[in-house]
Amino acid sequence: MENKILKKGCGTVVSSMTVERALFNMEEVSVIAGGLIRQGSSRPVSSVAIDSRQVTADALFIPLPGEHFDGHQFLREALTNGASALLLADRVWPLEGEEVARQAREKGAALITVPDTLRALQDLAGNHIRSMTDLTSIAITGSSGKTTTKEILGSILRREAPAIINEGNLNSEIGLPLSVLRIKGEHKYAVLEMGMNHAGEMAVLADIVRPEVALITNIGRAHIGLLGSQERIALEKKEIFKFFDDRQLAFLFEDEPFFEYLSSKVRGKIIPFGPRSTPGFEGSKDLGLAGSIIYWEGFQIHFPLFGTYNLVNALSSISVSVELGISKRKIKLGLQEAKPIFGRSQVIRGAVTIIQDCYNANPDSISRVLGFVRKLSWRGRKVMVLGSMLELGQDSAQAHRQMGREAGLSGLDAVIFFGIETETAYSAALETGFSGFLSFTADFEKLIQKLQGYLREGDLLVLKGSRAVELERLIPLLAMDRLEG
């Protein structure tokens, strides 16, 4: 973009030491986290960990309460592994504080009590990113496509300058601050995915990052069981723009049904993306599992991720990159080098070619994959394993019936439904008069047996289901020497 995005107003920021040397000193940790130093230390904080096993020398260990364990149980281990400081919840101090302080003193580490350890982690991350005066922060959310979009945009921006993206799926109220705290002074771009599965979480994440660029990929039905409706999902996703002050950029899909609502009263520039809106887009050619050719600004770009949904993710990344002033050549290179990540649009080629797209599943992503596979030109048979879609709440039965109807009308050669929730999908598929091999099981061993007895060389196997179903477990068990078909 012609004019560099103005840095957001950040209020009072406690200065930090050079990032390459240290993140904070003990006084800074105490002030930022609203804590009290119970045991001092002159050692620096060079990293932050919430898992005592990941503590390294001079790390700040922040114990968080969990469903099965409380991080306060592992304070001694964190000290043994080299922590320079421990946070301790105020509620724990009367019970264990003196003993923990003694242990910290023996290791030359600090002990700081805080009202809430999770809030302390988030506050430290927010302070850290707002101390990065040369950083452009880009936040991405949406019901689907946000991780892939993050990867594509990161691939482009790395051609321009040092850039960092969330590792793996560190995009929650716990994971995002850990990602933010890994940003270093050398980084010029931070591309940060923001996930959300309960009301209020997006506002917390937006407050941490205060992004200068924010993109919503789409509003779908993922997590609808936790939020109640798509309208509620849209309301929560819109919170990514909450801290805009007229100097930021908001990107929305041109055909997003909630476009008007999402763009209403946003204090920033609204920029649509998509086939009609992305600057310089001239069309595309579908290459099946090999991806597509994107015709853009006179270039023919081989984009390796398959499906029209990934093409839209590429167009969103182009739109953001153009606004940021990235050169055409670097955008082209970044698109060409984009790679699928675990469980998302992965193609595993072999005697049986496998599409591993089982990191997550919701009604919208199921429909997109079924549509892609139905149209895909393939010499062999098309086989699909559809696992349960979770976190759909009261909509689960209806959503699974819809999945079954769509699968039954897909024209595939075989569909196997896996998981208790998919029994209704199986019944719905039967009602369509599906002419291929159709089956249902909730037993993983029986699923393996069905596949080993059916698959043969030349088949295409598509794995799609929610993360907890763990369909990727099938892959090492489906070696050709174990197939009977």
Side-chain angles (χ1 to χ4, degrees):
M1 57 197 303
E2 280 189 22
N3 297 315
K4 169 88 172 139
I5 298 173
L6 297 175
K7 285 289 167 181
K8 54 190 171 290
C10 55
T12 302
V13 176
V14 179
S15 62
S16 61
M17 299 171 65
T18 303
V19 176
E20 285 73 9
R21 295 200 309 267
L23 289 171
F24 310 103
N25 60 43
M26 301 310 166
E27 289 73 21
E28 289 169 342
V29 172
S30 176
V31 171
I32 296 166
L36 178 64
I37 298 177
R38 303 285 187 169
Q39 170 64 43
S41 174
S42 61
R43 293 167 63 186
V45 170
S46 59
S47 63
V48 175
I50 62 170
D51 185 332
S52 61
R53 295 167 297 184
Q54 296 176 356
V55 167
T56 56
D58 290 334
L60 167 64
F61 178 61
I62 303 181
L64 301 178
E67 185 177 350
H68 302 293
F69 300 99
D70 188 322
H72 289 87
Q73 298 172 248
F74 305 100
L75 298 171
R76 182 187 294 274
E77 288 85 346
L79 288 170
T80 299
N81 290 339
S84 61
L86 307 174
L87 292 193
L88 192 74
D90 286 342
R91 62 179 174 81
V92 178
W93 173 254
L95 303 174
E96 305 176 29
E98 291 188 7
E99 174 59 20
V100 175
R102 182 190 65 78
Q103 294 172 9
R105 187 164 52 251
E106 289 178 355
K107 297 289 187 179
L111 176 64
I112 302 171
T113 54
V114 296
D116 184 299
T117 53
L118 175 58
R119 181 58 187 269
L121 171 66
Q122 295 165 349
D123 288 345
L124 288 166
N127 178 274
H128 177 61
I129 195 169
R130 283 188 279 283
S131 73
M132 299 289 166
T133 56
D134 293 329
L135 182 79
T136 296
S137 56
I138 302 154
I140 299 172
T141 194
S143 295
S144 57
K146 54 186 176 290
T147 302
T148 301
T149 300
K150 172 197 71 177
E151 296 289 331
I152 297 168
L153 186 55
S155 178
I156 294 172
L157 295 180
R158 287 192 186 103
R159 269 77 189 164
E160 176 71 17
I164 187 171
I165 66 174
N166 314 58
E167 289 185 16
N169 207 37
L170 292 177
N171 63 4
S172 66
E173 60 187 2
I174 296 174
L176 180 73
L178 291 174
S179 295
V180 166
L181 287 164
R182 291 171 181 163
I183 299 172
K184 297 183 178 181
E186 68 194 46
H187 292 125
K188 302 304 178 186
Y189 299 101
V191 185
L192 299 167
E193 174 187 347
M194 295 183 177
M196 176 268 302
N197 63 11
H198 63 265
E201 186 171 12
M202 184 57 62
V204 171
L205 304 183
D207 191 21
I208 293 170
V209 176
R210 304 288 179 99
E212 292 147 305
V213 177
L215 183 151
I216 299 178
T217 58
N218 49 59
I219 302 298
R221 288 171 284 176
H223 308 306
I224 197 168
L226 302 173
L227 292 167
S229 68
Q230 274 188 278
E231 289 75 15
R232 184 66 181 173
I233 292 171
L235 175 68
E236 292 296 327
K237 294 291 187 185
K238 188 177 181 179
E239 292 290 271
I240 198 171
F241 306 136
K242 183 174 182 177
F243 298 95
F244 277 21
D245 61 9
D246 298 322
R247 295 177 288 180
Q248 292 84 8
L249 306 178
F251 289 83
L252 298 170
F253 179 50
E254 61 191 14
D255 290 329
E256 169 57 55
F258 289 91
F259 188 101
E260 184 176 349
Y261 169 74
L262 292 171
S263 59
S264 175
K265 298 181 181 179
V266 172
R267 296 183 61 193
K269 181 180 178 182
I270 306 296
I271 303 173
F273 64 85
R276 300 187 308 279
S277 306
T278 294
F281 179 64
E282 300 159 355
S284 64
K285 178 182 178 182
D286 184 14
L287 300 179
L289 293 185
S292 61
I293 298 295
I294 296 176
Y295 301 101
W296 178 74
E297 293 284 5
F299 290 112
Q300 294 186 25
I301 304 170
H302 178 210
F303 177 62
L305 305 186
F306 64 79
T308 55
Y309 41 93
N310 279 323
L311 174 62
V312 172
N313 294 334
L315 294 179
S316 71
S317 298
I318 292 173
S319 292
V320 172
S321 300
V322 169
E323 284 292 326
L324 293 176
I326 309 302
S327 72
K328 297 176 185 178
R329 184 182 63 84
K330 291 174 181 176
I331 292 174
K332 173 180 179 288
L333 289 173
L335 291 172
Q336 289 176 163
E337 294 299 319
K339 293 179 173 59
I341 58 175
F342 171 77
R344 293 179 171 91
S345 302
Q346 280 184 293
V347 178
I348 303 171
R349 297 188 182 274
V352 172
T353 296
I354 300 173
I355 295 178
Q356 184 182 350
D357 197 28
C358 51
Y359 191 87
N360 210 340
N362 58 66
D364 306 299
S365 64
I366 292 283
S367 294
R368 285 193 290 268
V369 170
L370 278 168
F372 170 76
V373 177
R374 181 174 60 249
K375 296 176 182 178
L376 179 67
S377 176
W378 191 258
R379 290 185 179 181
R381 300 179 302 177
K382 299 176 182 178
V383 183
M384 195 161 190
V385 176
L386 287 171
S388 298
M389 298 181 291
L390 305 179
E391 296 186 349
L392 296 178
Q394 63 183 11
D395 291 335
S396 179
Q398 179 182 346
H400 282 92
R401 281 194 295 270
Q402 176 187 330
M403 177 173 79
R405 287 192 296 270
E406 291 182 11
L409 298 171
S410 65
L412 302 182
D413 296 285
V415 178
I416 303 175
F417 295 99
F418 175 63
I420 292 296
E421 294 83 358
T422 67
E423 188 169 9
T424 56
Y426 172 67
S427 298
L430 281 174
E431 292 171 3
T432 67
F434 183 76
S435 60
F437 175 72
L438 192 65
S439 186
F440 158 77
T441 183
D443 185 286
F444 187 68
E445 293 301 320
K446 290 182 179 178
L447 175 62
I448 296 169
Q449 293 169 11
K450 289 176 187 290
L451 287 169
Q452 290 177 339
Y454 183 83
L455 291 172
R456 66 185 183 216
E457 187 172 355
D459 285 348
L460 173 69
L461 173 63
V462 183
L463 305 178
K464 184 68 177 175
S466 284
R467 183 72 193 93
V469 181
E470 297 181 311
L471 288 177
E472 71 277 3
R473 292 178 292 165
L474 291 168
I475 294 174
L477 303 174
L478 295 178
M480 279 305 301
D481 60 1
R482 302 186 65 177
L483 302 181
E484 300 171 8

